[in-house]
Amino acid sequence: MSTAAETTGGDIEPWEEVTPDAARRLLVAAVEAFAERGYHATTTRDIAGRAGMSPAALYIHYKTKEELLHRISRIGHDRAVGILRTAAQGEGGATERLADAVSSFVRWHAGRRTTARVVQYELDALGPEARDEILTLRRQCDAAVRGIIEDGVATGEFDVPDVKGTTLAVLSLCIDVARWFNVNGPRTPDEVGALYADLVLRMVGAEPAGSAQR
């Protein structure tokens, strides 16, 4: 699946909050370019060219290349927070909620892997103010997963001596899917999500509770 396919239509990555259409096209082009070449090696001319626009047209919608990266990162992290909070606040015990959080988060990183690579691995290219904003959202992701694990420890569902370290390990596993997932590989995003949910439940000492069939 190409980046364009990831970023247009259906449930893949509509970027519906980005308007007008020209601004959305530039953002999609920036995702493609940053994922392919890296932020620092990408020029505004590269981005405009991919969008079929002139470099001057880019500045009508985005003052700088960093503003584009910030917008991409903000939208991506807002979605990440939403995925994890929805799972954390869902019905069921900690085992079910942790499995849901992991499988959903992994599916996002696999199904939207090009966007996720930019969102997760280009953070250091942002300036201090924008970076602090994104780090706040990352802490919210951490808090959602940590809360589920703490609940599981409190109810006896999980055996986790180091909740903070385990939370970091769980999030790291999920995020890394964006780096290696291949649409032509042997597993679908759903299958990888189910596998990781099962692995994480084993990590925390819980019974899989059918998570492999999710």
Side-chain angles (χ1 to χ4, degrees):
M1 185 186 297
S2 68
T3 308
E6 286 184 11
T7 52
T8 56
D11 294 327
I12 301 300
E13 196 73 90
W15 300 103
E16 70 279 353
E17 60 270 81
V18 182
T19 57
D21 179 67
R24 185 183 304 111
R25 285 164 51 200
L26 286 163
L27 185 141
V28 170
V31 170
E32 293 176 344
F34 295 157
E36 180 181 315
R37 306 187 62 185
Y39 174 81
H40 292 293
T42 298
T43 66
T44 53
R45 184 176 295 276
D46 294 331
I47 295 167
R50 286 173 184 262
M53 301 166 69
S54 69
L58 184 149
Y59 294 109
I60 295 173
H61 303 284
Y62 302 98
K63 295 178 182 179
T64 63
K65 184 176 70 167
E66 184 190 339
E67 184 179 331
L68 260 170
L69 177 62
H70 181 213
R71 187 79 191 277
I72 294 164
S73 191
R74 177 61 198 245
I75 292 171
H77 278 88
D78 280 341
R79 288 180 181 165
V81 171
I83 288 168
L84 294 173
R85 280 185 172 171
T86 297
Q89 296 167 5
E91 297 181 357
T95 298
E96 290 77 18
R97 288 184 286 125
L98 184 60
D100 186 30
V102 171
S103 61
S104 299
F105 205 40
V106 166
R107 285 198 305 269
W108 187 80
H109 281 84
R112 295 148 175 84
R113 64 206 170 281
T114 307
T115 299
R117 282 201 299 272
V118 176
V119 168
Q120 298 293 2
Y121 296 116
E122 294 290 353
L123 176 64
D124 288 342
L126 292 172
E129 185 175 345
R131 189 172 187 274
D132 286 347
E133 178 185 318
I134 300 305
L135 286 174
T136 297
L137 294 173
R138 290 198 174 200
R139 286 191 288 271
Q140 292 173 16
C141 289
D142 181 278
V145 174
R146 188 175 66 251
I148 301 173
I149 296 175
E150 288 172 344
D151 287 347
V153 172
T155 60
E157 293 176 67
F158 302 160
D159 180 11
V160 180
D162 183 349
V163 171
K164 182 177 180 181
T166 301
T167 300
L168 176 60
V170 170
L171 288 170
S172 297
L173 280 172
C174 297
I175 288 168
D176 195 55
V177 170
R179 182 185 58 78
W180 63 260
F181 184 80
N182 185 342
V183 68
N184 297 315
R187 297 180 188 270
T188 66
D190 283 347
E191 290 170 339
V192 177
L195 172 64
Y196 273 51
D198 182 77
L199 292 172
V200 167
L201 291 184
R202 294 176 189 276
M203 180 191 302
V204 299
E207 292 294 330
S211 63
Q213 282 74 49
R214 284 178 180 267

